[in-house]
Amino acid sequence: MAISKETLKAMIRDYHGFELSDGELDLIAPELDSYLAELEKLRDLDLSGIMSSRLIKADEGAGADG
């Protein structure tokens, strides 16, 4: 899932980043593509058997009366 130079430029502009030349965008493109590939791997993980940490509440050992 590659991001076009036009999209990158628009994102940089929208977030008030430094303007990059096409050559500079070509330099960062492989790293960005690698990052996006890793995100796709995370999306494909089956976490249906994993309990959400939001449901677990640790007992810190301190009662209501200290």
Side-chain angles (χ1 to χ4, degrees), residues 59-66:
D59 180 9
E60 299 293 333
D65 50 343

Side-chain angles (χ1 to χ4, degrees), residues 44-58:
D44 293 338
L45 285 177
D46 179 15
L47 301 176
S48 61
I50 307 297
M51 183 183 294
S52 172
S53 64
R54 294 182 292 171
L55 300 176
I56 300 172
K57 188 172 184 177

